[in-house]
Amino acid sequence: MAKIVIAAQIDLDPAKRAEALASAQVHIDAALAQDGCIAYDWSADGKDPARINVFEEWESEEALAHHFANAAYAGMRDHIGTFGLTGAASKKYRVDAEGPVYNAAGEATEAFD
């Protein structure tokens, strides 16, 4: 069973980003409480004052399907739409390999073995 990673960018009115992030915690916590959710986080982009970056990691396609059918997902979608959404992009990735960034010698490596 392959893990699923989602990377998304949400653009909204920069004056509302801090409030959108702070008030999103209930939706983030709801996603984190779902079976199969490994990680779920929203953060302010360091360069673009309008952007929120979203990172999600799910144990399987089934876990992600359950999330999409759950009230937590609908609540998040409805929540973010109230903050002057100006754009959004998201992609999901099925992970076929996983490994540490640093090898036994403490060096960053691109290798997965």
Side-chain angles (χ1 to χ4, degrees):
M1 195 172 344
K3 289 182 183 176
I4 306 297
V5 170
I6 294 179
Q9 299 78 40
I10 300 169
D11 295 332
L12 43 76
D13 179 347
K16 296 180 180 179
R17 182 175 75 175
E19 180 186 355
L21 285 167
S23 59
Q25 194 60 53
V26 65
H27 304 292
I28 293 167
D29 291 343
L32 286 167
Q34 291 181 315
D35 289 340
C37 183
I38 299 167
Y40 191 98
D41 188 47
W42 294 13
S43 61
D45 189 278
K47 292 185 179 183
D48 185 340
R51 181 158 289 167
I52 293 173
N53 293 310
V54 178
F55 176 82
E56 304 178 34
E57 186 177 2
W58 297 90
E59 287 180 357
S60 65
E61 290 179 39
E62 293 79 15
L64 181 58
H66 174 73
H67 171 63
F68 287 155
N70 192 281
Y73 175 76
M76 174 281 303
R77 183 195 61 226
D78 295 346
H79 167 79
I80 199 62
T82 66
F83 290 93
L85 190 68
T86 60
S90 59
K91 292 191 178 187
K92 61 182 179 273
Y93 303 89
R94 191 171 38 232
V95 179
D96 70 344
E98 187 175 322
V101 172
Y102 297 94
N103 62 20
E107 300 166 334
T109 178
E110 73 288 348
F112 281 89
D113 42 76

